[in-house]
Amino acid sequence: MSGSTDPSDNSEWRLLRVQAGERLLWLCVVNPELWTYVYIPDSGRFHLNKGVFVDYVWDGELTYVPIDVQEARDLIGARVGALPPEITSDQRRRYLTDEQLDAEVALTHVERANRERDAKPES
């Protein structure tokens, strides 16, 4: 798998910058079950992305770089992951009606997981 994360370490929520080479594609949140949600500024929410899930867990063609909540907020502010204007209205509707997570709820899950990890005594 490309990138710096190991999908077999599924103990917590995490934020990832998804790239194809040097090209930034998405901001992604991964839950403990490894479901991958990408941020879509058009809705202001994270949406389940089965293609990213397959790549993250099995194919490993993209690069997944762990990031913190502040970098995620910066990417949200930069509108990373905006749907291209040339997609059809049916494609846009499909993207925007997939299972989704509120951005603040997703970031709160990550912050909580980070606090819990940081509070654990080192073995």
Side-chain angles (χ1 to χ4, degrees), residues 31-53:
N31 73 12
E33 291 79 35
L34 298 181
W35 289 110
T36 57
Y37 296 81
V38 298
Y39 183 76
I40 299 179
D42 304 69
S43 69
R45 301 173 70 84
F46 285 90
H47 294 262
L48 184 64
N49 187 305
K50 294 175 185 171
V52 172
F53 170 78

Side-chain angles (χ1 to χ4, degrees), residues 40-110:
I40 299 179
D42 304 69
S43 69
R45 301 173 70 84
F46 285 90
H47 294 262
L48 184 64
N49 187 305
K50 294 175 185 171
V52 172
F53 170 78
V54 169
D55 186 76
Y56 181 68
V57 174
W58 289 291
D59 297 342
E61 294 178 9
L62 299 172
T63 301
Y64 299 88
V65 180
I67 62 171
D68 61 22
V69 171
Q70 184 54 56
E71 185 174 347
R73 290 187 189 284
D74 292 344
L75 294 174
I76 288 170
R79 296 188 49 80
V80 167
L83 297 176
E86 63 272 7
I87 68 172
T88 67
S89 60
D90 285 343
Q91 289 171 313
R92 182 174 298 279
R93 187 173 25 264
R94 191 187 83 229
Y95 277 111
L96 297 177
T97 57
D98 282 342
E99 182 182 329
Q100 49 193 276
L101 293 170
D102 178 79
E104 285 304 314
V105 169
L107 296 177
T108 299
H109 281 300
V110 172

